[in-house]
């Protein structure tokens, strides 16, 4: 399964991290630092594995207990995003979607 | 013999009486005023000097109640204006494009509207109308209303027995006090101040422009800390225009000749002032100040059986939304449905007031979202903050409490607000809600995504906006030519 940002989401990098607007619901969201980092990785890599890998290397180094915690946290974050329809899971062969941003 | 008594013969009362005539053996309409012989304002209806437009949702309801009424209004000189297809609107976000939607309004004087409605609603003779008769109080107890006390033409009070009493006495209704006098429960009341003042004047319009003119609305701008000042000009019957100037505290429109003109001239665009200069004033400038949003939650009180409240007496909103008459018509339609289901008997009363209140809910919510920084709940001396807070503005995902909108959010909001000026689908949504023909959830999400990812449409200049209306553009050209020759 690949990950992609929902077409219903308009998002932008701001000084405080990533800000999102869900055009389906009219809701605004701001992500904290870690959430913003995950979001950017989903946007650029579009796959669960590289996202996990990069984050655990970045924050856990070779500490495997830490690495497990990070994987759990990222899963939780992605689960919440998927539940809210902000990120979608798609079968791997479909190409990930382009970034939707304000023109 | 069943008898229903309706107190107050304004729009809500007249329509309620007409509906009740199909269900009670006898219907009496008690009106404190005397009706004028023609389409004129009257003492009991001080707001009848001011602009009264009937929005699409109300026009449909009125036609469902009294088929053919809208056509009769138009035949008597009322004007239909599409929104925003036949309306020059300068909103806080910019000028609207001339887009055609189902939303519209009917414009005529309140005097004409009432006269046409009265004739059709009461003309059949099924309703007994007692003019010059004041309602003084209710009779009965906390469980059951048995009648009403009235004074006919200043005579000593008499009691009129009734199976149902409907209060339609408008903004100044005494029902909460009357209920307390017979030992019934307290009625919770919420008011949201508007600080808004009206000043209105009628004009005889110049020949070519008189009836062809679009509806014109200049809304206040967005400048913070400044009074919100605006104007409307609507064509009404007999080749007249009605101009209403509005302003919030510190920016109230003056009622003297010069001040009225100067106020119009000082608005964000001079079009209304220019048109006023072209027309002949008829009569004086009329003020109006009682514009508070006020709701009495009769549906939450332990109401005695045999009693209901309709129209402004229950829910009165800031008149700037132009909803009151439409809500009165929608309420009468709902009364008809409830009567059809339950008849005029005990099973009617359990849910009647809640059903009537539901018809006013949309309008009330829209009004307090715009006006409601603070809601004062008088019943419990409770103060609720920011009634207007949108549900969508929840805490951020990181659990942090909501802070001020950031630049991204402001940009999205601005883009959306401006997109509705030129997107036919967003304009249809917006005016559909404003004119009570669609629910407030009718937002076209795919169009929102489209306008946010596409290139923004440039905003119209005042000249371009006016240029959309050939009749106005021609008038401006001839005016300019006259000034320079
Ligand atoms: C300045 C202004 C502009 C407005 N513009 C618009 C608009 O553009 N569009 C719109 O839809 N709505 C508008 N409204 C709202 C509209 O006027 C009301 O919502 C509408 O009139 C509701 O009518 P009603 O029958 O409930 O009350 P009212 O029309 O106020 O009628 C109440 C009636 O009860 C009578 N009465 C009062 N007390 C007694 C008593 N004790 N005994 C017997 N009779 C009594 C009065 O004489 C009157 O006839 C505006 C209101 C104002 C104030």
């Amino acid at each position: 399964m690949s990950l992609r940002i929902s077409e219903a989401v308009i998002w932008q990098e701001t000084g405080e991290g990533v800000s999102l607007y869900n055009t389906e619901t009219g809701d605004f969201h701001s992500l904290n630092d870690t959430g913003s980092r995950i979001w950017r990785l989903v946007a650029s890599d579009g796959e669960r594995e590289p996202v996990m890998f990069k984050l655990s290397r970045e924050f856990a180094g070779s500490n495997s207990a830490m690495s497990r915690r990070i994987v759990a946290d990222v899963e939780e974050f992605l689960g919440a995003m998927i539940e809210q329809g902000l990120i979608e899971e798609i079968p791997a062969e479909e190409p990930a979607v382009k970034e939707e941003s304000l023109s | 013999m069943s008898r229903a008594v309706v107190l107050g013969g304004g729009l809500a009362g007249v329509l309620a009486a007409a509906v009740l005539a199909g269900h009670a053996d006898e219907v009496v309409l008690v009106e404190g005023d005397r009706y004028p012989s023609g389409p004129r304002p009257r003492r009991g209806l001080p707001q009848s000097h001011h602009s009264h437009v009937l929005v699409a949702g109300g026009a449909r309801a009125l036609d469902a109640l009294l088929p053919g009424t809208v056509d009769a209004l138009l035949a008597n000189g009322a004007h239909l204006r599409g929104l925003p297809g036949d309306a020059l609107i300068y909103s806080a976000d910019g000028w609207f494009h001339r887009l055609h939607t189902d939303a519209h309004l009917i414009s005529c004087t309140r005097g004409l509207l009432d006269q046409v409605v009265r004739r059709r609603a009461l003309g059949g003779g099924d309703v007994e109308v007692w003019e010059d008769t004041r309602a003084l109080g209710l009779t009965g107890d906390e469980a059951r209303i048995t009648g009403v006390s009235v004074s006919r033409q200043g005579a000593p009070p008499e009691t009129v027995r009734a199976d149902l009493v409907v209060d339609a006495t408008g903004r100044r209704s005494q029902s909460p006090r009357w209920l307390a006098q017979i030992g019934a429960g307290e009625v919770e009341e919420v008011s949201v101040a508007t600080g808004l003042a009206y000043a209105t004047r009628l004009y005889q319009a110049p020949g070519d422009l008189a009836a062809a003119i679009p509806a014109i609305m200049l809304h206040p701008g967005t400048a913070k800390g400044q009074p919100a000042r605006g104007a409307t000009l609507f064509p009404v019957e007999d080749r007249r225009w009605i101009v209403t100037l509005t302003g919030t505290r510190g920016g109230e429109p003056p009622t003297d000749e010069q001040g009225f003109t100067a106020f119009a001239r000082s608005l964000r665009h001079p079009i209304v002032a220019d048109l006023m200069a072209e027309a002949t004033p008829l009569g004086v400038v009329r003020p109006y100040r009682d514009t508070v949003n006020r709701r009495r939650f009769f549906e939450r009180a332990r109401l005695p059986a045999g009693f209901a409240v309709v129209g402004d007496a229950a829910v009165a909103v800031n008149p700037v939304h132009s909803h009151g008459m439409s809500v009165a018509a929608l309420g009468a339609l709902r009364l008809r449905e409830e009567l059809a289901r339950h008849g005029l008997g005990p099973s009617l009363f359990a849910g009647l007031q809640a059903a009537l209140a539901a018809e006013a809910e949309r309008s009330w919510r829209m009004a307090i979202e715009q006006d409601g920084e603070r809601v004062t709940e008088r019943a419990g001396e409770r103060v609720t903050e920011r009634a207007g807070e949108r549900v969508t503005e929840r805490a951020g995902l990181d659990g942090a409490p909501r802070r001020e909108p950031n630049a991204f959010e402001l940009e999205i909001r601005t883009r959306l607000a401006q997109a509705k000026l030129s997107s036919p689908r967003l304009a249809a949504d917006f005016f559909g809600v404003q004119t009570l023909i669609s629910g407030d959830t009718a937002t076209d999400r795919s169009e929102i995504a489209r306008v946010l990812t596409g290139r923004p449409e440039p905003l119209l200049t005042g000249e371009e906006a006016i240029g959309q209306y050939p009749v106005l553009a021609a008038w401006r050209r001839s005016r300019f030519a006259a000034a320079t020759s």
Side-chain angles (χ1 to χ4, degrees):
Chain A
M1 294 291 255
S2 298
L3 297 172
R4 72 174 172 198
I5 291 164
S6 160
E7 287 188 48
V9 173
I10 310 281
W11 63 279
Q12 203 172 57
E13 293 274 2
T14 66
E16 310 150 30
V18 168
S19 290
L20 320 174
Y21 177 67
N22 184 345
T23 60
E24 296 280 352
T25 60
D27 287 346
F28 287 96
H29 303 284
S30 297
L31 303 183
N32 60 17
D33 282 351
T34 320
S36 299
R37 178 83 182 105
I38 303 173
W39 186 271
R40 282 190 291 265
L41 286 173
V42 170
S44 60
D45 294 12
E47 296 284 341
R48 215 176 261 267
E49 291 311 315
V51 172
M52 301 289 183
F53 178 72
K54 284 184 185 168
L55 279 168
S56 74
R57 198 181 48 192
E58 195 171 312
F59 293 112
S62 57
N63 180 335
S64 65
M66 188 69 162
S67 174
R68 273 197 301 280
R69 245 189 66 202
I70 286 171
V71 168
D73 283 357
V74 174
E75 285 293 0
E76 191 189 331
F77 176 83
L78 290 174
M81 291 283 133
I82 291 166
E83 195 180 315
Q84 293 188 58
L86 299 169
I87 289 179
E88 292 167 351
E89 277 188 304
I90 44 162
E93 58 273 19
E94 266 187 47
V97 85
K98 62 181 187 322
E99 178 175 331
E100 291 265 25
S101 61
L102 293 173
S103 62
Chain B
M1 274 269 291
S2 60
R3 181 192 285 148
V5 177
V6 178
L7 312 178
L11 195 66
V14 166
L15 294 176
V19 164
L20 282 161
H23 295 270
D25 298 320
E26 200 184 327
V27 178
V28 177
L29 179 62
V30 171
E31 168 55 47
D33 210 358
R34 291 207 73 80
Y35 291 131
S37 55
R40 280 190 295 280
R42 60 184 174 90
R43 193 172 42 85
L45 214 59
Q47 73 267 40
S48 55
H49 291 284
H50 299 268
S51 308
H52 267 75
V53 298
L54 182 67
V55 297
R60 286 183 188 172
L62 192 55
D63 254 358
L65 289 162
L66 304 166
T69 303
V70 170
D71 281 346
L73 287 169
L74 296 174
N76 279 280
H79 299 272
L80 187 151
R81 293 290 180 266
L83 291 173
D86 311 310
L88 177 66
I89 305 175
Y90 192 18
S91 77
D93 307 299
W95 295 93
F96 269 92
H97 284 243
R98 195 171 177 184
L99 305 168
H100 296 284
T101 72
D102 287 342
H104 59 269
L105 54 82
I106 308 286
S107 173
C108 60
T109 62
R110 176 69 195 259
L112 176 65
L113 190 133
D114 279 359
Q115 194 193 36
V116 167
V117 169
R118 266 200 313 270
R119 216 180 270 152
R120 300 175 84 84
L122 309 176
D126 297 334
V127 175
E128 216 178 299
V129 183
W130 296 358
E131 291 177 64
D132 210 356
T133 302
R134 293 209 66 75
L136 304 173
L138 300 167
T139 59
D141 56 32
E142 64 195 306
R144 163 101 226 165
I145 296 294
T146 54
V148 57
S149 162
V150 302
S151 161
R152 302 179 72 164
Q153 289 152 16
E158 59 182 290
T159 298
V160 184
R161 186 197 64 76
D163 301 282
L164 171 63
V165 173
V166 176
D167 175 17
T169 55
R171 279 182 173 259
R172 288 157 298 163
S173 163
Q174 299 294 314
S175 268
R177 190 167 62 82
W178 292 345
L179 286 166
Q181 281 166 354
I182 58 164
E186 199 177 346
V187 180
E188 203 179 314
E189 181 174 313
V190 168
S191 30
V192 181
T194 67
L196 191 74
Y198 266 55
T200 299
R201 196 173 204 186
L202 274 166
Y203 289 84
Q204 197 65 56
D208 296 352
L209 277 175
I213 197 157
I216 299 180
M217 304 173 204
L218 301 179
H219 295 176
T222 48
K224 282 224 161 70
Q226 303 276 337
R229 302 179 320 132
T232 56
L233 183 155
F234 293 110
V236 295
E237 72 275 12
D238 299 332
R239 311 184 70 74
R240 290 175 296 168
W241 293 339
I242 190 161
V243 174
T244 291
L245 307 181
T246 55
T248 52
R249 204 159 292 121
E252 293 92 345
T255 50
D256 64 290
E257 177 106 31
Q258 265 189 340
F260 189 76
T261 310
F263 183 101
R265 179 86 32 224
S266 71
L267 294 172
R268 291 163 68 218
H269 194 276
I271 179 101
V272 170
D274 289 348
L275 287 162
M276 281 161 59
E278 209 81 350
T280 312
L282 298 170
V284 297
V285 179
R286 302 276 180 168
Y288 197 94
R289 294 212 170 203
D290 181 15
T291 59
V292 61
N293 296 287
R294 195 185 46 231
R295 177 165 184 177
R296 293 171 172 147
F297 289 89
F298 289 99
E299 69 278 17
R300 293 185 190 164
R302 278 180 294 104
L303 276 195
F307 182 68
V309 187
V310 296
D312 279 11
V315 181
V317 301
N318 181 347
V320 83
H321 302 292
S322 306
H323 281 172
M325 299 191 301
S326 291
V327 170
L330 288 161
L333 209 50
R334 188 64 182 265
L335 176 63
R336 189 171 76 176
E337 283 167 28
E338 295 296 312
L339 281 163
R341 190 169 307 142
H342 301 283
L344 185 58
S347 71
L348 173 70
F349 304 127
L352 178 59
Q353 196 58 43
L356 295 171
E359 294 301 321
E361 189 66 42
R362 245 184 320 174
S363 167
W364 171 255
R365 242 179 314 114
M366 276 196 274
I368 62 162
E369 264 181 21
Q370 286 183 29
D371 290 327
E373 285 289 273
R374 303 187 80 75
V375 179
T376 321
E377 296 204 5
R378 228 199 273 160
E381 297 296 330
R382 207 166 75 226
V383 175
T384 319
E385 288 171 339
R386 278 201 64 86
E389 195 78 84
R390 296 296 313 239
V391 244
T392 51
E393 295 178 17
R394 290 198 218 104
L397 277 193
D398 51 4
R402 189 73 208 161
R403 25 110 203 99
E404 285 294 294
N406 62 20
F408 169 77
E409 192 169 328
L410 292 175
E411 187 182 348
I412 295 273
R413 288 191 188 285
T414 306
R415 286 278 292 268
L416 286 176
Q418 291 179 349
K420 76 174 181 300
L421 304 174
S422 57
S423 154
R425 285 160 64 188
L426 294 185
D429 277 356
F430 177 76
F431 286 105
V433 171
Q434 296 289 318
T435 60
L436 304 174
I437 52 176
S438 46
D440 51 359
T441 50
T443 317
D444 186 336
R445 293 289 162 192
S446 63
E447 179 68 352
I448 285 183
R450 190 193 68 77
V451 299
L452 287 177
T453 48
R455 189 161 294 287
E457 192 76 29
L459 294 179
L460 292 178
T461 63
E463 279 314 301
E464 288 166 341
I466 293 167
Q468 301 180 107
Y469 294 90
V471 66
L472 282 181
W475 158 71
R476 299 262 288 187
R477 274 196 303 276
S478 65
R479 207 167 160 265
F480 184 71
T484 52
S485 64

